[in-house]
Amino acid sequence: WLPPYKARALMAGSQHYRTFDGFHFEFAGECSYLLAKDFLNDNFAVVINYARDGQRVSKKSITVYSDGTRFDISTDYKVTKAGSKIELPAQVGGTTIRREGHVVVVENANGLKISCNLAYDQCVTEVTGDYFGKTGGLLGTYDYEDQLDLMTPDRKVSGDASAFASEWEVGQGRCRSQRNLAEPAVTHPRATSLCSKYFDKEESPLRSCFKMVDPKPYLEMCLHDIRSASYAKMEENICVTAAAYREECREFGVPLDMPRTCVRCKKPDGSEMLAGDIATVTDQDSPATAADVIFVVERKMCNKNVIPNLIRIAQSIEERYAARGFVDTRYAVVGFGGNGVAEQPHVVTADGQIFSSIRALVSAFGGLSIGNGESDPFAALVYAGQLPVRMASTQTMILVKCTTCKPDDDNSMYADIYRMLIDRGIHLHILDDDDFNVRTASKPSKSKRIFGVDRKLAFTVKDIKDLQGDPEIHSQIRLPKDFCVPLALESNGTLFSSMKMFEKRAINKKFVDVMARRVALSSAPDCQICECVSLEDGVGQSVCSRCVSPTLGPVRSPDFSPAMYEETAERKTYKRPKTKTLRTQKQQ
């Protein structure tokens, strides 16, 4: 690579700034200020917006102008486009905005990338070398001269952060206060000792990066952050600074773990675990009252009329779990197979969040536009397995697909997914664009009353009053040679046919109810061993597995030899009746 190289600038907390050229300063105001802008071609502009919170000011949002559109990223993960709320991922022209764990990423085709890790209140702005000497704002001039980073729009270098920032103020009218409202550094002996522990001492967990990235500016940053902390919680306030230092070290190729005190996982009783802690949770310690349900949806034309009706299935599942005594059921949506940013597996947010209540789920399903990208159901299941589910919750995945699952060359992904489902007690249910083939049926019409199957039973319209299942019909069914089907059946899940959602209304309603009844039978393992681990974004997440895992042995591929599977992989899809798309039920 030839210079100029790409440049990165950082905003952390409400007042910490590191410019493109590495200059550090502290500033907080009451208004909006230009962080960076392409002053040559006007390809982008980035603005920070402050708001007064009592006697203090806090960062309210980050505004990004790109491709003629304004995006606002709030600290609560909610995103608006031109003032209207949107769910992620989204794409406008060459600009994409997506959610990656606790990070919101905005990227455009002209060389701008903004990554906001909102869990640690930091945003990184990256620009390519094409913008060398062409930017201006609080993040500096990007010209390899850090002495010039406090340059105002009239090309004068200021010696004061407050005067410098006021010159980059944007918005209507002048700011009421031109003062620098940044918290001053603390001088308390315990605070200085604590910050030195992480950013100076040899025993620091961050010491492996000290020779690559100077920790002194971050020691000063730490002293500013600790000032507002109570004596008992001083150590918790080093996390924003530690995350900022970790981010810069990662750019230099030095991976760091977050300090253990910053990585926390919540237990079912409300207490917390730190990174590396292990806990055993049984059904006696934590009765099953919480469920995490993940819809994994293929964004293809074949699901165009299925997607609008998924909310009805979710509402029915909510009712069935409530009838079992569950008081906290959350939902997440993972999409795949769409166009552009929606092709690879991704989270579809609901009211800005990964997991949400049933009320917010409507907006997530509404964000599932149809595309025609490459589909990989296996990759989507692996991605869904990485979402932040809760400790001791009942975990359910509902794969809504119309593409046949095919293994990779060595079947390794199939084996990994199988072990993930079994070890963690995840129940996989499939809603497939296919119908059931009965060995004794001379015509497809004889199998129309079959809604779905699990490992032992077939479910029909007769199960509407009492979910009993029919083992005799089950013995006559031949399932497609789809590699996702045995994953579902072996995880105590099911296979249901979305074809039944297009029968006459009476059958459709019964289908939704029967499927929801069977899905809601899913329960968490009786005993789990959970460890608190740090994710790539530095946030804690509990990873649980059964206390006693079933003996799996070598898992290479599913056994399609039993007579319940078809001899060919051909999909037995029949022509749907011409019915109108059912309307979703109104939220109460």
Side-chain angles (χ1 to χ4, degrees), residues 497-511:
S497 170
S498 62
M499 302 286 291
K500 297 301 181 288
M501 300 185 74
F502 301 93
E503 299 283 351
K504 57 185 180 181
R505 187 171 181 84
I507 297 296
N508 179 285
K509 292 177 65 176
K510 292 176 181 178
F511 168 82

Side-chain angles (χ1 to χ4, degrees), residues 87-272:
E87 302 297 353
L88 305 184
Q91 185 164 355
V92 177
T95 301
T96 61
I97 181 166
R98 61 188 185 274
R99 180 79 177 265
E100 296 179 355
H102 294 82
V103 182
V104 176
V105 181
V106 183
E107 193 167 8
N108 74 12
N110 294 316
L112 170 73
K113 182 178 181 180
I114 299 173
S115 304
C116 291
N117 186 336
L118 299 179
Y120 290 115
D121 196 13
Q122 71 175 26
C123 286
V124 175
T125 301
E126 296 183 34
V127 294
T128 63
D130 296 332
Y131 295 102
F132 184 80
K134 302 173 185 176
T135 67
L138 297 191
L139 299 183
T141 54
Y142 177 30
D143 56 5
Y144 296 159
E145 296 288 345
D146 59 354
Q147 300 93 337
L148 303 179
D149 277 346
L150 295 188
M151 183 178 289
T152 61
D154 58 3
R155 310 297 293 175
K156 295 180 180 179
V157 178
S158 174
D160 176 69
S162 178
F164 162 68
S166 65
E167 293 296 322
W168 290 108
E169 180 190 328
V170 294
Q172 298 179 351
R174 293 292 294 174
C175 194
R176 183 176 61 180
S177 173
Q178 304 296 323
R179 295 186 300 117
N180 188 347
L181 301 175
E183 292 282 350
V186 70
T187 57
H188 191 283
R190 184 175 186 273
T192 55
S193 174
L194 182 61
C195 289
S196 295
K197 171 184 173 182
Y198 288 97
F199 300 101
D200 184 42
K201 301 295 184 182
E202 282 298 317
E203 61 269 21
S204 167
L206 310 174
R207 66 185 178 278
S208 60
C209 189
F210 282 1
K211 292 183 179 180
M212 294 297 297
V213 177
D214 184 5
K216 291 180 181 178
Y218 296 90
L219 173 62
E220 185 70 17
M221 189 186 299
C222 175
L223 294 173
H224 285 276
D225 282 342
I226 284 185
R227 182 176 183 84
S228 60
S230 64
Y231 189 86
K233 294 188 175 182
M234 276 188 177
E235 192 157 9
E236 295 181 19
N237 275 40
I238 62 99
C239 297
V240 169
T241 305
Y245 187 72
R246 175 178 179 265
E247 179 63 34
E248 187 168 357
C249 289
R250 184 163 60 173
E251 180 64 15
F252 279 84
V254 182
L256 292 177
D257 292 329
M258 283 293 292
R260 185 168 179 266
T261 187
C262 300
V263 182
R264 297 171 180 264
C265 303
K266 183 174 289 188
K267 297 172 67 175
D269 61 5
S271 60
E272 291 184 328

Side-chain angles (χ1 to χ4, degrees), residues 482-557:
D482 184 310
F483 274 66
C484 284
V485 173
L487 288 174
L489 302 187
E490 291 297 322
S491 65
N492 195 26
T494 60
L495 170 66
F496 278 83
S497 170
S498 62
M499 302 286 291
K500 297 301 181 288
M501 300 185 74
F502 301 93
E503 299 283 351
K504 57 185 180 181
R505 187 171 181 84
I507 297 296
N508 179 285
K509 292 177 65 176
K510 292 176 181 178
F511 168 82
V512 170
D513 186 74
V514 170
M515 180 178 177
R517 284 171 180 264
R518 179 58 184 83
V519 170
L521 290 179
S522 303
S523 297
D526 295 337
C527 178
Q528 291 179 300
I529 298 175
C530 301
E531 181 181 5
C532 184
V533 301
S534 176
L535 301 179
E536 185 178 353
D537 54 22
V539 179
Q541 178 176 321
S542 58
V543 177
C544 302
S545 59
R546 297 175 185 267
C547 294
V548 179
S549 182
T551 303
L552 301 179
V555 183
R556 297 188 179 277
S557 64

Side-chain angles (χ1 to χ4, degrees), residues 301-464:
M301 182 60 68
C302 47
N303 275 333
K304 180 179 180 180
N305 292 329
V306 176
I307 291 173
N309 293 289
L310 293 179
I311 188 61
R312 297 176 55 239
I313 294 177
Q315 289 169 337
S316 191
I317 291 173
E318 176 88 2
E319 294 171 0
R320 295 305 169 188
Y321 269 129
R324 289 187 56 197
F326 283 65
V327 296
D328 186 9
T329 302
R330 305 188 310 172
Y331 302 86
V333 178
V334 169
F336 68 101
N339 292 333
V341 71
E343 181 176 27
Q344 297 301 314
H346 55 274
V347 164
V348 182
T349 61
D351 200 21
Q353 310 305 313
I354 295 177
F355 279 95
S356 68
S357 67
I358 189 69
R359 291 182 179 274
L361 189 60
V362 177
S363 62
F365 286 141
L368 286 170
S369 58
I370 300 301
N372 192 33
E374 292 292 327
S375 287
D376 187 346
F378 277 173
L381 290 176
V382 171
Y383 182 92
Q386 298 170 352
L387 296 190
V389 295
R390 293 168 293 181
M391 189 183 303
S393 67
T394 295
Q395 299 178 36
T396 300
M397 291 185 190
I398 301 176
L399 176 60
V400 184
K401 72 178 187 68
C402 43
T403 295
T404 300
C405 296
K406 298 178 181 179
D408 48 12
D409 293 337
D410 60 358
N411 295 325
S412 60
M413 184 173 287
Y414 174 89
D416 291 342
I417 296 173
Y418 179 74
R419 288 192 170 91
M420 174 188 75
L421 296 174
I422 301 302
D423 284 346
R424 292 168 52 184
I426 301 173
H427 304 274
L428 174 63
H429 302 271
I430 299 175
L431 183 60
D432 198 6
D433 181 41
D434 203 352
D435 215 336
F436 294 100
N437 188 22
V438 180
R439 284 184 292 170
T440 59
S442 58
K443 295 181 180 180
S445 59
K446 291 187 178 181
S447 63
K448 279 189 175 180
R449 63 193 181 104
I450 302 173
F451 289 163
V453 298
D454 62 14
R455 193 174 182 182
K456 297 180 179 179
L457 301 172
F459 302 98
T460 69
V461 68
K462 295 181 180 179
D463 292 295
I464 186 65

